[in-house]
Structures are given as C-alpha cells and as structure tokens.
Amino acid sequence: MSTTRKAYRAAILHSLADPAVAGIESSYQYFEDGILLIENGQVAEVGEAASLLPKLNGVDIQEYRDALITPGFIDTHIHYPQTGMIASYGEQLLDWLNTYTFPTERQFADKSHAADVAAIFLNELLRNGTTTALVFGTVHPQSVDAFFEAALALNLRMIAGKVLMDRNAPDYLTDTAESGYAESKALIERWHGKGRLHYAVTPRFAPTSTPEQLDLAGKLLREYPDLYMHTHLSENRKEIEWVKELFPERKGYLDVYDHHKLTGPRAVFAHGVHLCDDECKRLAETGSAVAFCPTSNLFLGSGLFNLNKLEQHGVRVGLGTDVGAGTSFSQLQSLNEAYKVMQLQSKKLDPFKSLYLATLGGANALYLDDRLGNFLPGKDADFVVLDYNATPLMSYRMQQARSLEERLFALTMLGDDRAVKETFAAGVSVHRRDA
Ligand SMILES: [Zn+2]
C-alpha cells in the first residue's frame, strides 16, 4: 500500500488532559506556527513548523492564515430525526415529545425520507466541525440503516442506534420488547465495527420502556461487550416524578437503569441535570458518562447542569447539542451556552476546559480517547480549521485579543458554523465553507 502524506500549517491547539485534573497549563499544547502531518488518514506528527519543515521533503503543505486547527468536535448526544423540528415553540420535555417529536419521528418509517434527513444532518454536523456524534435514530430500523449508509460513505466515526420504546408512546411508534431486541441485534450484526461505525443500544428513556425491554437491552450489552448504551436521565422534574410512579420499587431514576444492567463503560446518559450525590457516585463507579447539553437544557427549561458536582465525583462528561431540543449544531455555540449555565451558578468555565469538553473530554466520555480527541500520533485525522476572521465582529474582536486564552474564549462566544472553514475526516476534506 502506498503512503499518503499531507501537512497542514496554521496555529494548532489540542487538549492533552482534563484541566480539572492536570491543571490548565498542562492540559493543552499550542503551536503558534504549527504543522500537522497526516499519514494514511492518521496523525503522524504535530509540532512547530520550524522543527518539522526540514523533515517534510516533497510533502504537500496546505497553509491557512489567521486560522486555528483543532481536533474535530465530538457531540455526545443528538437526534438526527429531529433535524427538521429544531426551534419548535413553547413546550417543556413531556409535552414537547407528544406535540412535536413523535409526529416527526413517525415519518422515518419511510426509508427514503430517512435517507434525505440523514444527508442534511451529516452535512450540518460537518459544516459545524463535528466529526463524531452519538446519535439517536427512531424506532424504525431503516432509520438507522439510512444513517449508517450515509456515514459510511463519508468514512465518519459515528455511533447510532434504533430507539427502543414499547410503552407510553403512540402505537405507530412503538416496538415490543422482543421485536426491539431482534431488530437491534440485526442492526448490530450489520453495522457494528463496519468502517468507523459503532452501534448504541438506545432505549429512549425509562418511561417508554417496560422492565422486560430494559432487561433485553441489558442482554444485548452482555452479548456484544463493546457496544454503546445511549439514553436520557434526569432531565426534567416532571419526568423524574413520572419515573418514580412507574418504577416505585427502584431507589431513583439511575437505579432503574442500573438494575437492568444498563450502566457501565460506554453507557452515555444525556442530561443528568437533577442528579443527587449518590447517583453521581454510582455513575463514576460504573464508568458511565453524562452528556451535558446546555442549549437543550435552557431551551426546554429543564434546569442548570452542575458540571462541578459531576467533576468532583469523577464522572466522565461530554458535550452534547441534543438537536432538536438543542438549538444549534455548533459545539462553539454549545460552549457559549455552557458558559452562561455556569455563570448562573456563580461558576466559571475556563476556555481550555471548553476545548477539552468539545474534543478530548467527549472522546473520553465515549471511550474513544485512544482514537480521537487530540493530535497524538496514530489517532484518526479528524480535525477542523477555524477562521478567526469569520465575521467582521469576530475579526475586530480578535485584533483586541492579547492572549491565546482570550482568542479561544471569544471564538467560543462568537463562533458558529461560519467560523468553520474546513472539516477533515480520516485525513479527507469533507466540508469546505468557501467551496
Ligand atoms: Zn435527547
């Protein structure tokens, strides 16, 4: 096999560790004039241009001015079928599901509709610099086929699964414990491990699954040890009350999942806005992760995520958009809202912690930090080129900035899809803003 090498020259920034653990200074590496060398779709080397250039005889070098290269963003919770219902007015979680979500998801019984939306969705992710996401399908297995077919064609690292939902939802959108198990199993056989795709067993949330269905979900996880488990947890107060009524024998919401053996490494729980200390402790103990979805939590009025509390308990936390309840595909905009969520609790969100959450922290939450999240040699070459001059205001603001920290913070406050100049997946350009 011939070796394909290509180098990219710009300012380069990547996370090395969680700032909460390593301290801010040791948490990142920055090259003001850097080179990222890619070989066969993987990172070969990263460093200062001055030291790497002499070694790059004959290697094609793509140069970007006033730009910052970072690892591709990782979205640890999103619903692709809800792309067309983003920005739907007026409801909190449970009414929002009945009013908007279920009728929208019904349309995914039609595979060609699913394929159309999957294409729009993936294009939106890449336009926003997101190269990996943990994705909900609908209850229809064909929704997952359509999504994976589109993701495979782009050679993206994506994780998705068919929704399991056998009660408390309209008849047109429910499976049964047995059919949900069998359909998930067929999808796992078809897609898990193909290209860069992974399968997630996906019960929507405790209220829409019977204990029998949750048991069978746990059985799938034991049958295929490297699967993901993806669901919702403790998002909204009324939802939590409902879970108590449906599962009176359980200690609390997390205990429902724990009892059915759905916690553990590669189990990702979206939201976790109202968790008690014991639940945080249990999440950490089991190696489970939580997806912090600030734009969604604010949009649905769910509450303020307590990042520091989860951090103190050692829970893995990734950043999620939760589109369609989330209001943006942009992880830069998620970080903007995350900062405000912290401010409302008199807490700070350091810009290097923000970088970590959107990249290496997400990889860590997904147990993909050996493949993704930064530019250590051998990792997948999934990266973005961010443009400091994306808008006149951003350009003017950057001229006033005196430090990397200040530029990075302004980028997360003012940046969105306009700031993403180019996106690469496995070393191949998959989005060019100005093309
Ligand atoms: Zn969600």
Side-chain angles (χ1 to χ4, degrees):
M1 195 177 113
S2 69
T3 302
T4 315
R5 300 173 91 203
K6 177 137 186 182
Y8 299 86
R9 182 175 185 177
I12 299 174
L13 174 67
H14 66 147
S15 280
L16 297 175
D18 183 351
V21 175
I24 288 167
E25 285 312 309
S26 317
S27 78
Y28 69 94
Q29 199 172 29
Y30 176 65
F31 306 102
E32 180 87 32
D33 178 11
I35 292 266
L36 177 64
L37 179 64
I38 306 301
E39 212 172 274
N40 297 335
Q42 296 187 333
V43 175
E45 216 168 338
V46 65
E48 290 293 354
S51 59
L52 285 181
L53 280 173
K55 301 202 279 182
L56 296 182
N57 263 339
V59 175
D60 185 23
I61 302 173
Q62 168 88 47
E63 197 169 331
Y64 301 93
R65 293 190 183 281
D66 285 335
L68 179 70
I69 292 178
T70 70
F73 300 132
I74 295 174
D75 188 333
T76 57
H77 179 63
I78 188 166
H79 302 250
Y80 101 82
Q82 296 177 20
T83 302
M85 55 169 278
I86 190 171
S88 291
Y89 177 78
E91 307 292 356
Q92 293 212 346
L93 177 65
L94 300 179
D95 294 322
W96 184 84
L97 285 171
N98 288 316
T99 309
Y100 298 116
T101 309
F102 293 154
T104 300
E105 293 194 359
R106 179 180 202 169
Q107 302 170 63
F108 287 72
D110 174 5
K111 168 98 188 270
S112 70
H113 175 76
D116 290 348
V117 178
I120 294 166
F121 172 85
L122 286 174
N123 187 46
E124 238 2 86
L125 284 184
L126 298 174
R127 290 184 61 254
N128 283 281
T130 297
T131 47
T132 288
L134 176 56
V135 181
F136 260 68
T138 64
V139 75
H140 316 96
Q142 58 269 40
S143 74
V144 176
D145 284 326
F147 175 77
F148 277 147
E149 281 163 18
L152 185 68
L154 289 159
N155 190 21
L156 302 175
R157 192 173 288 285
M158 287 285 162
I159 314 162
K162 173 202 122 61
V163 168
L164 299 169
M165 184 155 67
D166 68 344
R167 66 167 168 176
N168 293 323
D171 288 345
Y172 62 74
L173 218 53
T174 46
D175 54 11
T176 66
E178 280 302 331
S179 72
Y181 170 83
E183 287 169 353
S184 299
K185 197 168 174 114
L187 288 165
I188 293 162
E189 295 287 346
R190 190 143 68 241
W191 292 109
H192 188 56
K194 195 166 188 172
R196 296 201 291 157
L197 306 175
H198 309 256
Y199 193 84
V201 175
T202 310
R204 171 164 236 117
F205 67 154
T208 47
S209 285
T210 57
E212 293 71 36
Q213 182 160 64
L214 296 176
D215 269 339
L216 287 175
K219 186 170 177 224
L220 282 170
L221 296 178
R222 290 190 296 283
E223 287 171 351
Y224 301 86
D226 54 351
L227 285 180
Y228 286 83
M229 200 292 298
H230 186 197
T231 191
H232 296 92
L233 169 68
S234 204
E235 174 177 3
N236 167 290
R237 300 244 182 234
K238 276 192 193 160
E239 169 212 19
I240 296 168
E241 286 309 309
W242 194 22
V243 171
K244 271 188 201 154
E245 286 165 27
L246 290 169
F247 298 91
E249 69 284 12
R250 302 273 71 89
K251 276 186 295 186
Y253 200 158
L254 180 66
D255 190 45
V256 174
Y257 296 126
D258 213 13
H259 176 78
H260 293 283
K261 303 194 169 60
L262 298 173
T263 51
R266 287 178 302 280
V268 180
F269 297 92
H271 307 304
V273 175
H274 307 284
L275 296 171
C276 66
D277 283 320
D278 282 349
E279 289 177 311
C280 293
K281 213 177 285 171
R282 185 63 189 150
L283 285 164
E285 245 167 45
T286 55
S288 307
V290 171
F292 172 23
C293 306
T295 79
S296 168
N297 295 162
L298 295 172
F299 183 73
L300 290 182
S302 302
L304 302 175
F305 183 79
N306 193 336
L307 177 61
N308 294 128
K309 180 167 157 177
L310 274 83
E311 214 170 50
Q312 279 154 18
H313 283 282
V315 181
R316 291 167 190 252
V317 177
L319 189 68
T321 58
D322 193 27
V323 164
T327 51
S328 173
F329 277 81
S330 169
Q331 290 296 45
L332 296 173
Q333 279 307 293
S334 294
L335 292 170
N336 171 325
E337 303 281 290
Y339 179 81
K340 295 167 189 168
V341 165
M342 300 292 279
Q343 281 283 47
L344 283 165
Q345 301 172 89
S346 304
K347 301 274 167 50
K348 294 273 188 285
L349 182 62
D350 184 274
F352 293 104
K353 176 74 182 192
S354 286
L355 170 74
Y356 174 78
L357 282 173
T359 57
L360 187 60
N364 180 58
L366 298 175
Y367 288 77
L368 286 173
D369 45 326
D370 58 333
R371 303 251 41 98
L372 303 177
N374 62 18
F375 295 136
L376 295 186
K379 293 214 184 181
D380 295 358
D382 293 354
F383 61 98
V384 282
V385 182
L386 301 170
D387 177 6
Y388 282 134
N389 297 319
T391 68
L393 178 63
M394 196 188 293
S395 186
Y396 183 60
R397 176 64 183 87
M398 292 303 169
Q399 288 167 34
Q400 324 304 318
R402 296 284 165 264
S403 65
L404 169 66
E405 186 177 13
E406 211 181 324
R407 284 200 296 280
L408 184 59
F409 183 64
L411 195 59
T412 64
M413 289 299 115
L414 302 174
D416 52 29
D417 54 330
R418 295 169 297 180
V420 177
K421 191 180 175 65
E422 193 159 0
T423 304
F424 291 82
V428 175
S429 177
V430 285
H431 162 68
R432 228 176 255 130
R433 185 191 63 191
D434 306 323

